[in-house]
Each structure stands twice: as C-alpha cells, then as structure tokens.
C-alpha cells in the first residue's frame, strides 16, 4: 500500500520506472543546477541554523530532517522550500507518519484484511490521509511544471519525466504516465529522506560520544581543506579518515530494521537450500554489517574498519547498506554525496558536545521500519575559524 512505483512494483513497470530514475538521478548530478551545489546550499543553511543556537543544547533531529527532505524537493521539483513553509512541513510530517505506520502491526493487518480494515478506524486512516496530502502536493507541482513547459530543457525529475512521457506517448508498452510520476515522487520522498536524515542524526550522536574521533575528523578537514569555502564530493578522496567515519556510522547503526522484502522470481538454490519461486525474502542487512568474519570489532564504533595500517581508506565487501543486485538502492550516489557534504560542513563548523551533566548519549535505536536514535540534545559550539 505504501510504496508502489519503484520500491514495491515488479515486472515491466518496475523495470521502466527504475531505469528512468537511475538515469535521471545521474543526469541531475551532472546538470546545470547540479545536485551537489544544492546540497551544499542546504548544508550551509543547516550550519546557519545551528549557529543561531549559540552553543546551547539543541535537538538536531527536525533540522536535519527538514534539510534532507529539502534536497529531495530540489531533485524532484527543482527548488528548495523555506523550512517554515507550512505545506513543506506537512510533507515532512507525512513521511514520518507513513513510515511509522508501515512498521506497525496494523499495517500487517491491513495487508491481510484490507476490506475489513477499511471499515475500521485506526492509524491506517491517518496514513492514508498523509498519502493523500503527498499525492495532491505532487500533483500541484506537476501542474506547475506543465504550465512552465520546461521539459524541453529539463532541470529536475518532473521535467525529465514529462519529457519521457512525451517521447513515449506512442509506445503502447510505455508505463510513463502522470499516475506513476506521482508514485515516483512519493517513493523518492519516502525512501530518500528518513534514511539519510537518520544516518546524519546518528553521526552527530557518535561524534558527541567519541570526542577523540571527532577531533581527528575536524583536524583532517582543517588540514586538507584549509580556508577553501566550497566543498565538493571529490574532496572525499583527500579525506580518508572522514570518509571512514561516515561509513562506520552507516555500518555501526544501520538505519533500516531489515532490507526491503522481495519475492523470488524463480527457484533459487542457495548453499543447498531451495528457495522456491514466489517466496518472500527479507534480507537482514544488519547481520552482514555486524558479521564477525568481516569486521574486527563488529559491536564497537571503530572507523579503523575502513582504514589500513597507513591510514588509507579501504573498502570492505561486507559494507552493503544500500543492498545489492538488481534492486540496489538507486539513491546511493545521492545519499553518499549528501552524507559527505552535510557531515563535513558540520564537522568543519562546530564542535559537538554533550550538554552539561550528560555523560553519554544512548546508542540504543528506536525500532521501526527505520531505526533512529532516541531523541537527544547536544551543543553545537562554533569553531573559532568559522
Ligand atoms: C543512507 C541513505 C540510504 C540507504 C541506507 C538506503 C538503503 C536502501 C536499501 C537497503 C534499499 C533496498 C535494496 C534492495 O532491495 O536490495 C533501497 C531501495 C531504494 N532506495 Fe534507498 N537508501 C538510502 C537513500 C536513498 C535515497 C537518497 C533515495 C532517493 C533519492 C533512495 C531511493 C530508493 C529507492 C527508489 C529504492 C527502491 C529500489 C528498487 O526497488 O528497485 N534511497 N535503499
């Protein structure tokens, strides 16, 4: 019920919509209004917001969520929203409610007995109304794009999609239509905002709990980038320690309870077990990210998992937070750019400290479809060189 266009579709619809999304996200990364610049703009806004707190304790969750959701707005609609915009805040809230619902027992009941559940009150009604809000928001943006007729020089996801619809209107096998476009937009918002925001939320928590690691990150950024203002994703290669810390955050506190459930398209023989065609499979990505065969100290936060003895960055084949295979996350590159630019901008600008009297922040997650940290406060103390 919740995610349909790419995430939960199969067959020809999935193939076409996914291929289109992958190609379009790549093109947007290279385009005039490249995603990287928009992410940088949004990261600078987040830094400004934290500066206003003047080092006093603040809960960073909603600020991070708004910024990351705004990046998805830039990608899909081609513009950023003011974080005070009521409609925008409604969308941010709708994503939260839908995700919370999709990990609830009521969701399972709804999937099993939809007709009965339709007659009963409950959280599914609220989730449906949130989907309706997202639907009408997406439709309004599509209408604006149609009026502007900018799809001849496409600048965002909607432009590219309308262009594709026009190109394939005579193809009877085409699945490009406005209904699927609305679903794609909802997919991008739901799959692309909470995942990245929760990773950043964990990243700040780990930095406050591990000041020694935080100092090494800050020093590396300062030594390598100096007073260069603008950040680029290319800088990642020059910052092996920072890169290792970001990946370690993704590994140590994986932000999905499980991967997305999938159905076997054919009989599969795996390590002598037959998984018959049609079986639903739920990948346990967390277990791969904590497998003692692949990680020296799986339960500890340890950036050395991604560094060799000379401090150079090393990949690990068991680092699979974005899944694997044909269904691998199409937003991986966008997410990696966001994590790098947001994290590096924040580490460069602030020292994140525990508020007075707090010894440590809890590293226990809240279990749901995604696994954010428990709400916490920290102090973003501006570094004197910023
Ligand atoms: C830290 C951030 C993210 C993580 C950890 C993550 C992780 C994942 C995982 C594990 C899957 C399932 C892969 C599989 O079934 O094998 C997935 C699917 C997906 N993700 Fe992400 N994701 C992230 C960010 C994003 C972003 C930013 C977007 C969009 C812009 C996005 C869009 C999607 C979509 C559309 C799918 C469905 C793919 C399909 O079914 O073919 N994700 N993601």
């Amino acid at each position: 019920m919740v995610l349909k266009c790419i995430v939960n579709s199969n067959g020809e619809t999935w193939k076409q919509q996914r291929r289109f999304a992958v190609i379009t996200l790549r093109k947007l990364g290279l385009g005039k209004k490249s995603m990287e610049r928009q992410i940088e703009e949004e990261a600078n806004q987040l830094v400004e917001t934290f500066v206003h707190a003047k080092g006093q304790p603040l809960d960073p969750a909603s600020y991070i969520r708004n910024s990351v959701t705004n990046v998805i707005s830039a990608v899909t609609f081609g513009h950023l929203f003011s974080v005070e915009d009521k409609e925008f805040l409604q969308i941010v809230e709708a994503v939260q409610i839908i995700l919370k619902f999709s990990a609830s027992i009521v969701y399972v009941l709804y999937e099993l007995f939809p007709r009965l559940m339709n007659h009963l009150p409950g959280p599914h009604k609220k989730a449906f109304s949130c989907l309706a809000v997202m639907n009408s928001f997406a439709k309004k943006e599509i209408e604006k794009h149609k009026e502007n007729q900018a799809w001849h020089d496409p600048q965002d996801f909607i432009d590219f999609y309308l262009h594709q619809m026009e190109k394939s209107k005579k193809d009877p096998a085409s699945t490009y239509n406005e209904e699927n476009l609305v679903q794609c937009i909802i997919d991008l918002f739901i799959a692309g905002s909470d995942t990245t925001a929760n990773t950043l939320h964990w990243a700040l928590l780990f930095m406050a709990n591990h000041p020694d690691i935080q100092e090494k990150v800050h020093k590396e950024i300062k030594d390598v980038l100096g007073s260069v203002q603008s950040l680029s994703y290319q800088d990642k290669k020059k910052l092996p320690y920072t890169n290792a810390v970001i990946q370690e955050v993704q590994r140590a506190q994986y932000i999905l309870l499980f991967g997305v459930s999938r159905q076997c398209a054919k009989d599969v023989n795996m390590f002598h077990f037959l998984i018959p065609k049609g079986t639903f499979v739920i990948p346990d990505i967390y277990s791969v990210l904590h497998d003692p065969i692949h990680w020296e100290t799986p339960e500890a936060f340890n950036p050395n998992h991604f560094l060799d003895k000379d401090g150079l960055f090393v990949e690990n084949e068991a680092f699979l937070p974005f899944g694997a295979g044909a269904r691998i996350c199409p937003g991986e590159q966008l997410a990696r750019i966001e994590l790098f630019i947001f994290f590096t901008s924040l580490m460069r600008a602030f020292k994140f400290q525990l508020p007075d009297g707090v010894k440590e922040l809890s590293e226990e997650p809240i279990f749901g479809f995604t696994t954010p940290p428990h709400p916490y406060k920290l102090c973003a103390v501006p570094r004197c060189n910023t």
Side-chain angles (χ1 to χ4, degrees):
M1 157 255 163
V2 174
L3 306 165
K4 276 211 179 83
C5 184
I6 308 170
V7 185
N8 264 359
S9 70
N10 289 311
E12 199 48 35
T13 305
W14 169 73
K15 255 191 216 158
Q16 288 189 15
Q17 304 296 319
R18 182 187 162 98
R19 190 178 340 109
F20 173 82
V22 168
I23 294 172
T24 305
L25 287 173
R26 199 178 303 139
K27 281 185 192 157
L28 286 169
L30 303 169
K32 278 187 229 154
K33 278 205 248 164
S34 107
M35 286 191 297
E36 222 176 302
R37 293 284 68 82
Q38 312 221 23
I39 295 168
E40 203 189 345
E41 198 177 312
E42 203 46 46
N44 289 340
Q45 281 295 327
L46 187 60
V47 167
E48 277 302 305
T49 308
F50 283 7
V51 166
H52 283 130
K54 298 199 166 84
Q56 292 303 306
L58 69 93
D59 178 347
S62 61
Y63 302 114
I64 295 176
R65 204 181 297 132
N66 292 348
S67 295
V68 168
T69 309
N70 228 347
V71 171
I72 301 291
S73 305
V75 169
T76 46
F77 307 145
H79 62 90
L80 298 166
F81 287 88
S82 148
V83 287
E84 276 141 32
D85 187 303
K86 281 212 180 90
E87 269 190 309
F88 173 72
L89 292 175
Q90 246 187 328
I91 295 300
V92 177
E93 198 195 352
V95 170
Q96 292 299 301
I97 292 171
I98 292 167
L99 279 171
K100 196 163 166 212
F101 169 65
S102 60
S104 69
I105 187 74
V106 184
Y107 174 61
V108 179
L109 289 174
Y110 184 85
E111 287 291 302
L112 292 171
F113 314 108
R115 284 214 293 204
L116 171 67
M117 293 298 286
N118 273 335
H119 294 289
L120 300 175
H124 55 300
K125 298 280 180 185
K126 177 93 184 145
F128 281 131
S129 73
C130 288
L131 270 180
V133 166
M134 294 190 75
N135 237 284
S136 71
F137 193 69
K139 281 186 179 149
K140 219 161 79 182
E141 285 288 341
I142 295 170
E143 283 312 311
K144 278 194 226 157
H145 280 67
K146 279 171 33 188
E147 276 163 32
N148 293 343
Q149 300 215 344
W151 64 88
H152 301 295
D153 178 22
Q155 297 293 321
D156 55 48
F157 194 88
I158 296 182
D159 280 348
F160 275 104
Y161 201 102
L162 292 173
H163 183 64
Q164 181 66 35
M165 269 169 59
E166 184 69 19
K167 261 192 351 195
S168 47
K169 68 179 176 200
K170 293 207 177 101
D171 175 4
S174 162
T175 62
Y176 300 106
N177 53 51
E178 268 183 52
E179 209 176 293
N180 279 340
L181 171 54
V182 170
Q183 290 300 330
C184 271
I185 294 170
I186 296 178
D187 267 14
L188 293 180
F189 271 88
I190 295 184
S193 53
D194 216 46
T195 42
T196 316
N198 282 337
T199 310
L200 286 166
H201 199 191
W202 276 114
L204 297 191
L205 184 151
F206 278 123
M207 292 303 95
N209 274 355
H210 300 269
D212 48 333
I213 296 178
Q214 181 179 177
E215 277 319 297
K216 280 174 87 170
V217 171
H218 178 73
K219 185 172 180 323
E220 183 184 64
I221 298 170
K222 200 169 80 172
D223 290 351
V224 173
L225 301 180
S227 59
V228 179
Q229 279 308 308
S230 188
L231 265 175
S232 124
Y233 187 57
Q234 288 297 317
D235 293 329
K236 192 165 112 163
K237 290 191 200 118
K238 299 183 243 162
L239 300 168
Y241 191 76
T242 306
N243 192 11
V245 167
I246 295 172
Q247 293 212 171
E248 181 61 1
V249 171
Q250 288 195 274
R251 187 205 68 79
Q253 270 306 346
Y254 189 50
I255 46 74
L256 295 176
L257 188 54
F258 295 110
V260 181
S261 80
R262 302 296 182 200
Q263 200 172 8
C264 268
K266 56 179 184 195
D267 286 357
V268 176
N269 219 313
M270 211 174 163
F271 303 121
H272 307 298
F273 286 105
L274 172 70
I275 307 175
K277 179 178 174 180
T279 309
F280 281 96
V281 179
I282 304 178
D284 181 5
I285 297 180
Y286 181 93
S287 71
V288 182
L289 297 172
H290 285 247
D291 185 342
I293 296 173
H294 291 279
W295 309 98
E296 207 182 326
T297 57
E299 300 313 319
F301 183 74
N302 175 10
N304 290 334
H305 284 136
F306 297 98
L307 295 166
D308 69 9
K309 60 180 178 14
D310 300 316
L312 296 175
F313 185 83
V314 278
E315 285 295 356
N316 183 319
E317 61 172 6
F319 183 69
L320 297 172
F322 297 98
R327 288 272 185 171
I328 192 169
C329 174
E332 173 173 357
Q333 185 67 358
L334 173 60
R336 282 178 180 270
I337 301 174
E338 284 185 87
L339 292 177
F340 178 74
I341 294 186
F342 275 106
F343 183 72
T344 310
S345 306
L346 292 171
M347 287 303 116
R348 196 180 196 190
F350 304 102
K351 181 174 189 166
F352 288 95
Q353 289 179 340
L354 300 174
D356 282 348
V358 178
K359 286 209 176 65
E360 203 184 19
L361 300 171
S362 166
E363 293 184 5
E364 280 301 307
I366 298 176
F367 292 106
F369 186 75
T370 54
T371 50
H374 286 273
Y376 65 81
K377 284 190 176 174
L378 41 63
C379 305
V381 181
R383 301 266 184 187
C384 48
N385 56 345
T386 51

